[in-house]
Amino acid sequence: MAGFLANVTVAVHVFALLFIGFGGFLAWRWPKVIFAHVFFAAWGILVNVFPWPCPLTAAENYFRHQRGLGDLPGGFNAYYLYDTVFPRSMLPVVVVIAMATVIISYVGTVQRWRHRHHDGDAPAHRVSMG
C-alpha cells in the first residue's frame, strides 16, 4: 500500500507542478482559478528558493520510508526532473521559461478580466428574429 501511495503522491506532485506552470491559463476560462494558482505559484517559489520542505516531498519520503527506502536523493525536482526531463545545466533557461509562462498567463488573465468587465458595462445588443 505504501508503494501505491508513494506513486499517487508522485502523480499529485507532477500535477501540482503542471498547475504551477500552466494554471494561470485555466483562469482565462475560469477566472476564480487564479486565486488557487497564486497560492500554488507562491508555494512553488518558496519551497524552491528557501529551505522550506515541500509537503508533497515529505509525504513521498514518508511512504518511501514505509517501504524501507530512504528520502528522495536531492528532493523531488532533482530526482525526477533534473537530467531526466531536462539537463541540470539548462535549469536557468527552464526557470526563465517557467516564469515567462506564468507572467504571460497572468497578463492574459488580466486582459480577459478587463474585457469581460468592459463588455458587461456595454448595453446588451438585441438580435432581431424577423
Side-chain angles (χ1 to χ4, degrees):
M1 184 65 160
F4 171 75
L5 293 174
N7 290 336
V8 168
T9 304
V10 170
V12 169
H13 213 150
V14 168
F15 282 115
L17 288 174
L18 290 172
F19 184 69
I20 288 168
F22 301 106
F25 292 108
L26 293 175
W28 290 16
R29 175 70 174 95
W30 300 286
K32 292 181 182 179
V33 167
I34 199 69
F35 299 110
H37 186 265
V38 168
F39 170 78
F40 273 88
W43 169 29
I45 291 168
L46 290 174
V47 300
N48 282 288
V49 172
F50 298 102
W52 294 1
C54 173
L56 292 171
T57 302
E60 184 176 356
N61 283 336
Y62 172 79
F63 295 127
R64 288 174 57 87
H65 283 269
Q66 297 298 312
R67 297 177 61 208
L69 303 171
D71 288 348
L72 286 171
F76 183 88
N77 293 345
Y79 189 74
Y80 290 108
L81 302 179
Y82 306 156
D83 296 325
T84 303
V85 176
F86 60 86
R88 185 181 297 267
S89 62
M90 293 295 295
L91 184 58
V93 174
V94 171
V95 168
V96 169
I97 291 170
M99 291 184 71
T101 302
V102 171
I103 290 168
I104 290 167
S105 73
Y106 283 6
V107 168
T109 299
V110 169
Q111 291 298 321
R112 293 177 72 86
W113 182 80
R114 285 182 178 167
H115 182 70
R116 282 185 181 165
H117 284 278
H118 183 272
D119 287 349
D121 295 338
H125 297 284
R126 296 181 188 240
V127 176
S128 175
M129 298 299 247

